[in-house]
Amino acid sequence: MSSIFSEVPQAAPVVVFKLTADFREDPSPTKVNLGVGAYRTDECQPWVLPVVRKVEKLIAADDSLNHEYLPILGLPEFRSSASKIALGEDSPAILEKRVGAVQCLGGTGALKIGAEFLRRFHNGNNNTKTPVYVSMPTWENHNAVFANAGFEDIRSYKYWDAEKRGLNLSGFLGDLESAPEHSIFVLHACAHNPTGTDPNHEEWKKIAEVMKRRNLFAFFDSAYQGFASGNLEKDAWAIRYFVSQGFEIFCAQSFSKNFGLYNERVGNLTVVAKDADNLSRVLSQMEKIVRITWSNPPSQGARVVGITLNTPELFAECQTSGVHGEGEAHLFDGQWPHQHVWPDH
């Protein structure tokens, strides 16, 4: 008998992880992996933040912790603290109780849950024809996540000016002006992947003005907060500005990079709604989506981030602890250890 799987085609490998597999198999003693984006030690191992090691030991020694399921939306103290570093401790939106969050499996999971919700409830119910705009170029998963969620019209907006080697602002604004109302725009909050070029404050203001006037939805992807300027506050400027202008937004956050938690898949989807009532209904539907996607999230990475962000001395150490224990490079001072490239979340 032939296999019931005999007609399944062989899929092409995911390029960046195929490169890692090739790297591992290469016997060369001088090989260097420039594939998956992870900071490395001189021994080519991912560098672990000292504060992360410290918090992991605190968790291991805490006998009050167990392995009970987390709530479907995730660890509350992680979700709230993650949203605060995106929006600011004193964010009026938070104080007005119109900000909520969903703990997700990395930045990809946050994009996925947001995309699934938008396909179901944005611009009508189950409107797969709503255009989704991603920058040209962009991270490869942006196209795939929204297409997989059911969106049929994925478009590119102008972003990179190859000749000038910088932002194509006029092209970007032109695409915003011509986009159908209610279109979804995936915006890189900082450290644009893969160009590294971000709008300045005045350019962001022009982008926001057009998006507000044209009634376009802003879905921020914040995978590298702290990387562009070396400062968490500065790298969240665009997100906070949009919220200050009255936008209802989604923001997919990843802690894979700025906490070095690559394999823990620590992500968060921050939701800013018009008011508490709208927020409640949005989160109720997201809870249903999470239930059929991963049911509820894992705790370890979220606890590491949540404890660090909610403990002032640990958060201070997170921002100032030396890479090699000597204070020669700091987590958010713009000085980063060894190599980094941009392909994954």
Side-chain angles (χ1 to χ4, degrees):
M1 292 180 62
S2 62
S3 170
I4 60 173
F5 303 117
S6 60
E7 300 301 317
V8 177
Q10 180 69 40
V14 178
V15 175
V16 69
F17 288 100
K18 175 63 165 60
L19 186 62
T20 298
D22 292 344
F23 170 81
R24 288 171 180 158
E25 294 173 5
D26 191 326
S28 172
T30 58
K31 63 184 179 181
V32 177
N33 184 357
L34 297 179
V36 171
Y39 284 102
R40 302 284 175 175
T41 65
D42 291 335
E43 294 73 38
C44 291
Q45 298 300 313
W47 181 72
V48 180
L49 276 66
V51 71
V52 168
R53 289 283 194 213
K54 179 180 290 187
V55 174
E56 287 174 333
K57 291 176 181 177
L58 291 174
I59 292 171
D62 188 346
D63 290 335
S64 70
L65 297 176
N66 54 43
H67 296 288
E68 179 62 273
Y69 289 113
L70 292 185
I72 292 176
L73 294 182
L75 192 68
E77 56 268 35
F78 162 73
R79 293 159 50 213
S80 61
S81 60
S83 293
K84 283 178 182 177
I85 69 164
L87 303 179
E89 186 79 28
D90 57 351
S91 167
I94 292 176
L95 297 176
E96 292 161 8
K97 301 186 185 304
R98 55 189 183 90
V99 175
V102 183
Q103 181 187 333
C104 299
L105 301 188
T108 302
L111 288 165
K112 172 68 171 175
I113 296 302
E116 291 286 346
F117 175 89
L118 292 172
R119 194 265 294 161
R120 288 166 169 80
F121 300 108
H122 176 64
N123 195 21
N125 288 339
N126 200 32
N127 187 351
T128 62
K129 305 296 185 182
T130 301
V132 177
Y133 285 79
V134 299
S135 66
M136 175 56 72
T138 195
W139 179 52
E140 63 178 9
N141 256 8
H142 282 156
N143 289 275
V145 166
F146 282 88
N148 183 261
F151 286 100
E152 301 173 25
D153 189 359
I154 314 296
R155 308 181 186 183
S156 294
Y157 61 86
K158 298 178 187 68
Y159 192 87
W160 175 247
D161 187 325
E163 184 177 341
K164 295 181 180 178
R165 301 190 65 78
L167 179 68
N168 181 358
L169 180 63
S170 61
F172 190 168
L173 294 176
D175 286 341
L176 290 171
E177 291 281 9
S178 63
E181 284 197 353
H182 308 296
S183 293
I184 299 162
F185 274 75
V186 180
L187 306 172
H188 300 231
C190 67
H192 179 270
N193 179 357
T195 70
T197 294
D198 297 326
N200 61 35
H201 290 185
E202 291 307 310
E203 291 167 336
W204 273 122
K205 288 179 181 179
K206 292 177 181 178
I207 292 165
E209 186 278 321
V210 178
M211 292 190 69
K212 187 174 184 179
R213 174 165 46 81
R214 299 281 302 122
N215 199 17
L216 305 173
F217 185 79
F219 194 148
F220 281 96
D221 186 356
S222 181
Y224 304 104
Q225 188 179 354
F227 277 44
S229 68
N231 182 282
L232 288 170
E233 304 292 312
K234 291 180 180 178
D235 285 357
W237 189 91
I239 302 168
R240 297 177 186 185
Y241 180 76
F242 270 65
V243 173
S244 76
Q245 297 304 297
F247 281 83
E248 294 181 283
I249 67 164
F250 285 177
C251 179
Q253 298 169 265
S254 170
F255 294 89
S256 295
K257 302 299 187 298
N258 53 18
F259 270 76
L261 294 170
Y262 308 105
N263 66 358
E264 293 289 352
R265 310 310 298 134
V266 187
N268 190 62
L269 178 63
T270 289
V271 178
V272 180
K274 182 179 180 180
D275 52 44
D277 178 62
N278 279 281
L279 175 67
S280 176
R281 286 182 283 104
V282 169
L283 292 180
S284 74
Q285 293 295 340
M286 287 189 171
E287 190 171 72
K288 298 292 186 182
I289 296 169
V290 170
R291 178 60 175 161
I292 62 172
T293 307
W294 54 68
S295 190
N296 34 26
S299 67
Q300 179 71 6
R303 279 199 175 117
V304 169
V305 175
I307 290 171
T308 302
L309 295 182
N310 284 297
T311 309
E313 58 270 27
L314 291 175
F315 187 40
E317 181 179 342
C318 174
Q319 298 182 84
T320 60
S321 60
V323 168
H324 301 295
E326 301 296 332
E328 58 201 325
H330 300 140
L331 181 56
F332 299 121
D333 68 357
Q335 304 174 59
W336 287 86
H338 306 285
Q339 77 232 27
H340 183 78
V341 287
W342 307 96
D344 65 308
H345 282 38

